[in-house]
Amino acid sequence: MAVKVLGILGSPRPFGGSGQLLRCALEAAQREGAETELLSVYDGEIKPCQGCIQDEEPHCRFPCIFEDYGKELLIKINQADVLLIGTPVYWYAPSGLLKNLIDRMTSLENMVAYGEPSYMEGKVVGVITVGADAGLTLAGGYLLTVLNAMGAIVPPWAHAYSRRADQALLDDRAVMDAINVGLLATGLAARLKGLPGRLSYLDDQALLREIREKIRQQKEAFEKEHGTAKVGKPGA
Amino acid sequence: MAVKVLGILGSPRPFGGSGQLLRCALEAAQREGAETELLSVYDGEIKPCQGCIQDEEPHCRFPCIFEDYGKELLIKINQADVLLIGTPVYWYAPSGLLKNLIDRMTSLENMVAYGEPSYMEGKVVGVITVGADAGLTLAGGYLLTVLNAMGAIVPPWAHAYSRRADQALLDDRAVMDAINVGLLATGLAARLKGLPGRLSYLDDQALLREIREKIRQQKEAFEKEHGTAKVGKPGA
Amino acid sequence: MAVKVLGILGSPRPFGGSGQLLRCALEAAQREGAETELLSVYDGEIKPCQGCIQDEEPHCRFPCIFEDYGKELLIKINQADVLLIGTPVYWYAPSGLLKNLIDRMTSLENMVAYGEPSYMEGKVVGVITVGADAGLTLAGGYLLTVLNAMGAIVPPWAHAYSRRADQALLDDRAVMDAINVGLLATGLAARLKGLPGRLSYLDDQALLREIREKIRQQKEAFEKEHGTAKVGKPGA
Amino acid sequence: MAVKVLGILGSPRPFGGSGQLLRCALEAAQREGAETELLSVYDGEIKPCQGCIQDEEPHCRFPCIFEDYGKELLIKINQADVLLIGTPVYWYAPSGLLKNLIDRMTSLENMVAYGEPSYMEGKVVGVITVGADAGLTLAGGYLLTVLNAMGAIVPPWAHAYSRRADQALLDDRAVMDAINVGLLATGLAARLKGLPGRLSYLDDQALLREIREKIRQQKEAFEKEHGTAKVGKPGA
């Protein structure tokens, strides 16, 4: 039974820096035997959390109260063994729209209030942050801290980052790190299923070049069709 | 010329804990001679940031590209001398909707790319965070760090917090701290205008009781009209 | 081959709040079959890091350049499968002396500069933070972020905290959480050795009471001998 | 009465990157009319905090219980109008030795427990962080958050940083930012004394070159005498 890896992209640009590195991670996961899928928070509406957990009769439970695209994402997250989040760094933190999703993930975690385990418990997670300057560690550390507090497991070297913005694919260390986020998250999830799985950092320059070239081609094909214009704007 | 203080509430509940304490801060500011106004991010649509700052021809400038409620908030922020932000703590951070606004505030700061000062430069700021458990310091420190990196000035004791959720108004220390956030932000802004202004923490239990009672009555009146139901839901 | 669990205490008080909860975690680990040991950073000298990693000829490698108590701790860390860190929260962060040790742990991680894996890679970690007020999440999230960036694995629910200071042992949720830090870190390390191991949160009030009583007795015995005076002051 | 600016360096290297930028800030402060002084935490012993604030009879008060170099630093801090802290980034945070000093600064803040204002209240602060990679925002934001929670005021743009390690002096933006940390902290402190003072970012390339050259010469002279060897090691 293959490891299911879900990538969630927090960027308005499908092939911006965070999209590039997240795709590298997913590609690596796939080569490790995982089934992968990539979804973007910008591809639909994610209504903001209403804080139901503080209501007099608390009714914060999976899959949240809203019938929107956010619900689809929550259901996908619930089905995955591994969750990889990639985000641009806006003011040292995930994008606001991604934060909406994180807020709504309370409905997964808050199942503990109904006598069930957190639906995030035991999932393996990794994160990718890309910006043009500062705040990458703050954003990445924040995400790992939150995901662990929902019950998730963090594999070694679970945060890859680049400050080269939309040139992240040319940032050798970042690409190698992103590949490892994919490999090691998949590897740890496999181990927890009783399968073999990698748990140590892989420094393989040939693999780096191969995956980079593949993602570069995907980016080129995408831009041939769509230009560099952003797509998937909510409301567009 | 009175100090203009704008309160921005990041909560779906007008009179939840963060709303309670933010109102205490604004009331204190008003007694210090400020003109005050309170707006909630939940009272209209705030489209998520599109990251225009990374476009080939960057066009991130005040007041942002969107014609929505977010634009109104950005204009109000630009006109204020003091910005006080109150937010519930969702996963150790501001609510997602408030984060959308912060992301969009890039358009105020990024005026530096057009040869102007940041429109946030020299504004005085304070923050209030309320939750039921942990992450208050992380959320408040995050906000102050970001606002300062936009050019804002942080007065003494600029972060008030309570972990008593919708009972925050009963949290003596938190209420006194919130009052001081209002007093000291106003005081510092006044000083910078050449007027007298308070810069040291005030521990005045009579004032605390007086302001608390006033906000309690407002809350009661609000709930008589609206129930405890949340209002101002986007899309509602 | 039993899982080896090392507890490092960052407090001047052997039985202060962080010491209490860390002992609960270790006791739980032991019941899960682990060999456990507890060491305090306050029991000897830990010279501050000299930043050798930036020297012209970098010579930052395990076990660091100093012959001091810090070296002993680094060697113990290197031998452990699981590292549990407990610290009081001093200004939203680990104690300065514990930070010295973390700085010196660079020598474990920096083995990557010598063609070896990080000596922290694959170790399983958990953290406990105790304070009287705020900053618990900031301190705990910081530690997990750093340890993961050294290559460590973070099990579910890896951070237990209490704001009840030296009354932490009476904080039911915190004690149950600390027990789980011990159980789940041991459980994950066992799994990675091919042994059975627990990975889901255990809510067992009888176990809580039993472990609490045991630690309470240890505390009482300690205080009978030493008073509540702090011991193991460096230089004392 | 001139503004008194104290620089505290958290690095073992007097002219490493954080030392370089901190000196730029101090030089700028001096040109703004301030009296400046620079001290390093590595020039003497700073015993770790013993957490007296939690003792049964709390006795945490200025200037702390220890007779050591740390006490001298605390007294100097108390006398300053402006405190500028420069630190290398060790694991996304200030150096452990600097953290010891921060822990001990509790004795300044805790005067509130004795019916006095915090001795940090109203001081103006700025921070400089330098590293070779990540965590600069986390470290700088942490310091500003803590200092504000002690009662300090944060001027606009109060955090300068560089990831160019010991080449920070060649990092144009970082040097200009560091100069502004000095200018604006001094400017705000002057304003609060009723004197004129700068509060807006200065982008002056000629000043940048002039100050850089001056610090470069100081560095050269220092290295002629001492080599690049670190000096002022505790215990050396």
Side-chain angles (χ1 to χ4, degrees):
Chain A
M1 201 179 56
V3 172
K4 280 190 189 174
V5 178
L6 175 65
I8 297 275
L9 180 60
S11 171
R13 297 165 211 270
F15 281 90
S18 53
Q20 293 163 22
L21 294 188
L22 181 54
R23 286 167 205 271
C24 290
L26 291 171
E27 176 66 23
Q30 200 171 21
R31 288 172 187 231
E32 201 74 358
E35 286 174 19
T36 68
E37 184 172 9
L38 175 59
L39 296 169
S40 168
V41 297
Y42 276 82
D43 280 341
E45 189 186 21
I46 303 176
K47 292 207 174 80
C49 176
Q50 295 286 325
C52 306
I53 205 170
Q54 289 297 329
D55 285 348
E56 269 174 63
E57 293 186 35
H59 48 277
C60 174
R61 60 181 301 160
F62 179 76
C64 193
I65 57 169
F66 293 114
E67 294 291 333
D68 63 356
Y69 176 61
K71 180 178 178 174
E72 293 175 44
L73 292 180
L74 292 172
I75 291 169
K76 288 284 189 178
I77 291 170
N78 188 41
Q79 292 165 344
D81 299 309
V82 172
L83 175 63
L84 303 183
I85 295 181
T87 186
V89 173
Y90 291 169
W91 291 111
Y92 320 151
S95 64
L97 200 48
L98 178 55
K99 182 59 170 49
N100 274 353
L101 181 63
I102 291 165
D103 293 352
R104 299 235 340 242
M105 287 172 70
T106 308
S107 65
L108 290 155
E109 188 270 339
N110 198 47
M111 296 310 292
V112 298
Y114 300 92
E116 295 194 46
S118 163
Y119 287 7
M120 287 299 293
E121 189 177 74
K123 290 189 195 297
V124 179
V125 295
V127 302
I128 283 161
T129 63
V130 177
D133 181 12
L136 300 158
T137 308
L138 193 43
Y142 167 75
L143 283 168
L144 292 178
T145 298
V146 166
L147 293 165
N148 180 253
M150 293 176 175
I153 301 177
V154 184
W157 318 109
H159 177 211
Y161 55 89
S162 174
R163 62 181 59 87
R164 291 188 59 188
D166 58 4
Q167 304 294 307
L169 200 55
L170 302 178
D171 182 340
D172 281 4
R173 192 193 61 173
V175 173
M176 199 71 247
D177 284 354
I179 288 170
N180 274 278
V181 167
L183 289 180
L184 300 179
T186 304
L188 182 50
R191 289 279 195 104
L192 298 178
K193 286 174 180 275
L195 305 169
R198 179 172 194 90
L199 283 181
S200 58
Y201 192 93
L202 178 71
D203 189 3
D204 179 336
Q205 298 300 310
L207 180 65
L208 185 162
R209 283 189 298 272
E210 204 178 312
I211 289 184
R212 169 151 60 197
E213 177 54 19
K214 180 160 181 183
I215 304 305
R216 196 195 60 72
Q217 287 176 13
Q218 290 177 5
K219 180 170 183 286
E220 198 174 73
F222 176 85
E223 288 172 356
K224 194 166 289 174
E225 190 174 350
H226 299 285
T228 55
K230 286 161 278 191
V231 296
K233 299 182 192 182
Chain B
M1 200 179 57
V3 172
K4 280 189 189 172
V5 178
L6 175 64
I8 297 276
L9 180 59
S11 171
R13 297 166 211 268
F15 280 90
S18 53
Q20 293 162 21
L21 294 188
L22 181 55
R23 286 166 205 271
C24 291
L26 291 171
E27 177 66 23
Q30 201 171 20
R31 289 171 187 231
E32 201 74 359
E35 287 173 17
T36 67
E37 184 172 10
L38 174 59
L39 296 169
S40 167
V41 297
Y42 275 82
D43 279 343
E45 189 186 22
I46 303 177
K47 292 207 173 78
C49 175
Q50 295 287 324
C52 306
I53 204 170
Q54 289 297 329
D55 285 349
E56 270 174 60
E57 293 186 34
H59 49 279
C60 174
R61 61 181 300 160
F62 179 76
C64 192
I65 57 170
F66 293 113
E67 294 292 334
D68 63 358
Y69 177 62
K71 179 178 178 175
E72 293 175 43
L73 292 180
L74 293 172
I75 290 169
K76 288 283 190 179
I77 291 170
N78 188 42
Q79 292 165 344
D81 299 309
V82 172
L83 175 63
L84 303 184
I85 295 180
T87 186
V89 173
Y90 291 169
W91 290 111
Y92 321 150
S95 65
L97 200 48
L98 178 56
K99 183 56 170 51
N100 273 353
L101 181 64
I102 291 166
D103 293 351
R104 300 246 324 252
M105 287 173 69
T106 309
S107 65
L108 290 155
E109 188 270 340
N110 197 47
M111 295 310 291
V112 298
Y114 299 92
E116 294 193 47
S118 163
Y119 287 8
M120 287 299 293
E121 189 177 74
K123 289 188 196 301
V124 178
V125 295
V127 303
I128 283 162
T129 63
V130 178
D133 180 13
L136 300 159
T137 309
L138 193 44
Y142 167 75
L143 283 169
L144 292 178
T145 298
V146 165
L147 293 165
N148 180 253
M150 293 176 175
I153 301 178
V154 184
W157 318 108
H159 178 211
Y161 54 89
S162 174
R163 64 180 61 86
R164 292 187 60 188
D166 59 4
Q167 304 294 308
L169 200 55
L170 303 177
D171 182 340
D172 282 4
R173 193 193 61 174
V175 173
M176 198 72 248
D177 284 354
I179 287 170
N180 274 279
V181 167
L183 290 180
L184 300 179
T186 304
L188 182 52
R191 289 280 194 104
L192 298 179
K193 286 174 180 275
L195 305 169
R198 180 171 193 90
L199 285 181
S200 59
Y201 192 93
L202 178 71
D203 189 3
D204 179 337
Q205 297 299 311
L207 179 66
L208 186 162
R209 283 190 298 271
E210 203 178 311
I211 290 184
R212 170 153 58 198
E213 177 55 19
K214 179 161 183 182
I215 304 304
R216 196 195 60 73
Q217 286 176 14
Q218 290 177 6
K219 180 171 182 286
E220 197 174 74
F222 176 85
E223 288 171 357
K224 193 165 290 177
E225 189 173 352
H226 299 284
T228 55
K230 286 161 279 189
V231 296
K233 298 183 193 181
Chain C
M1 201 181 56
V3 172
K4 279 189 191 172
V5 178
L6 175 65
I8 297 275
L9 179 59
S11 171
R13 296 165 212 270
F15 280 90
S18 53
Q20 292 163 22
L21 294 188
L22 181 54
R23 285 166 207 271
C24 291
L26 291 170
E27 177 66 24
Q30 200 171 21
R31 288 173 187 231
E32 201 74 359
E35 287 174 19
T36 67
E37 185 174 7
L38 174 58
L39 296 169
S40 168
V41 297
Y42 275 81
D43 280 341
E45 189 187 22
I46 303 177
K47 292 206 174 81
C49 175
Q50 295 286 324
C52 305
I53 205 171
Q54 289 297 329
D55 286 348
E56 270 173 63
E57 293 185 35
H59 48 278
C60 174
R61 61 181 300 161
F62 178 76
C64 192
I65 58 169
F66 292 114
E67 295 292 333
D68 63 358
Y69 177 61
K71 180 177 177 173
E72 292 174 43
L73 293 179
L74 293 172
I75 290 170
K76 288 284 190 179
I77 291 170
N78 188 43
Q79 293 165 345
D81 298 310
V82 172
L83 175 63
L84 303 183
I85 294 180
T87 186
V89 173
Y90 291 171
W91 291 110
Y92 320 151
S95 64
L97 200 49
L98 178 56
K99 182 57 168 52
N100 274 352
L101 180 64
I102 291 166
D103 294 351
R104 300 257 311 262
M105 287 172 69
T106 309
S107 66
L108 289 155
E109 187 270 341
N110 197 48
M111 296 311 292
V112 298
Y114 300 92
E116 294 192 47
S118 163
Y119 286 8
M120 286 299 293
E121 189 176 76
K123 289 188 196 299
V124 178
V125 295
V127 301
I128 284 162
T129 63
V130 177
D133 181 14
L136 299 159
T137 309
L138 192 45
Y142 166 76
L143 283 169
L144 292 178
T145 298
V146 165
L147 292 165
N148 181 253
M150 293 176 175
I153 301 177
V154 184
W157 319 109
H159 178 210
Y161 55 88
S162 174
R163 62 181 62 85
R164 292 187 59 189
D166 58 5
Q167 304 294 308
L169 200 55
L170 302 178
D171 183 340
D172 280 5
R173 192 192 63 173
V175 173
M176 199 70 247
D177 284 354
I179 288 170
N180 274 278
V181 168
L183 288 180
L184 301 179
T186 304
L188 182 51
R191 289 280 193 103
L192 299 179
K193 286 173 179 278
L195 305 169
R198 179 172 193 91
L199 283 181
S200 58
Y201 191 93
L202 178 71
D203 189 3
D204 180 337
Q205 298 300 311
L207 180 65
L208 186 162
R209 283 190 298 273
E210 203 177 313
I211 289 184
R212 170 153 59 197
E213 177 56 18
K214 180 160 181 183
I215 304 305
R216 196 194 60 71
Q217 286 176 13
Q218 289 178 6
K219 179 170 183 286
E220 196 173 74
F222 176 85
E223 288 171 355
K224 192 165 292 175
E225 190 174 352
H226 300 283
T228 56
K230 287 162 277 190
V231 296
K233 301 183 190 178
Chain D
M1 201 181 57
V3 172
K4 279 189 189 173
V5 178
L6 175 65
I8 296 275
L9 179 59
S11 171
R13 296 164 212 270
F15 280 90
S18 53
Q20 293 163 22
L21 294 188
L22 181 54
R23 286 166 205 272
C24 290
L26 291 171
E27 176 66 24
Q30 201 172 19
R31 289 173 186 230
E32 202 73 358
E35 287 174 18
T36 67
E37 184 173 9
L38 174 58
L39 296 169
S40 168
V41 296
Y42 275 82
D43 279 343
E45 190 187 19
I46 303 176
K47 292 208 173 80
C49 175
Q50 295 287 324
C52 306
I53 206 170
Q54 289 298 328
D55 284 349
E56 269 174 63
E57 294 185 36
H59 48 279
C60 175
R61 60 181 300 161
F62 179 75
C64 193
I65 57 169
F66 293 115
E67 295 291 334
D68 63 357
Y69 176 62
K71 180 177 178 174
E72 294 175 43
L73 293 179
L74 293 172
I75 290 170
K76 288 284 190 177
I77 290 170
N78 188 42
Q79 293 166 343
D81 299 307
V82 172
L83 175 63
L84 303 183
I85 294 180
T87 185
V89 173
Y90 291 170
W91 291 111
Y92 320 151
S95 64
L97 201 48
L98 178 56
K99 182 58 170 50
N100 274 353
L101 181 64
I102 291 165
D103 294 351
R104 301 258 310 264
M105 287 172 70
T106 309
S107 65
L108 290 154
E109 188 270 340
N110 197 47
M111 295 311 291
V112 299
Y114 299 92
E116 295 193 47
S118 163
Y119 286 9
M120 286 299 295
E121 188 176 75
K123 290 188 195 301
V124 178
V125 295
V127 302
I128 283 162
T129 63
V130 177
D133 182 13
L136 300 159
T137 308
L138 192 45
Y142 167 75
L143 283 168
L144 292 178
T145 298
V146 166
L147 292 166
N148 181 254
M150 293 177 176
I153 301 178
V154 184
W157 318 108
H159 178 210
Y161 54 88
S162 174
R163 62 181 60 87
R164 292 187 60 188
D166 57 5
Q167 304 293 308
L169 199 55
L170 302 178
D171 183 340
D172 281 6
R173 192 192 61 173
V175 173
M176 199 71 246
D177 285 354
I179 287 170
N180 274 279
V181 167
L183 290 180
L184 300 179
T186 304
L188 182 52
R191 289 280 194 104
L192 299 178
K193 285 173 180 278
L195 305 170
R198 180 172 194 91
L199 283 182
S200 59
Y201 192 93
L202 177 71
D203 190 3
D204 179 337
Q205 297 300 311
L207 180 65
L208 185 162
R209 283 190 298 272
E210 205 178 311
I211 289 183
R212 170 152 60 197
E213 177 56 18
K214 180 162 180 182
I215 305 304
R216 197 196 60 71
Q217 286 176 14
Q218 289 177 5
K219 180 171 184 284
E220 196 174 75
F222 176 85
E223 287 171 357
K224 193 165 288 176
E225 192 174 349
H226 299 284
T228 55
K230 286 161 279 189
V231 294
K233 300 182 192 179

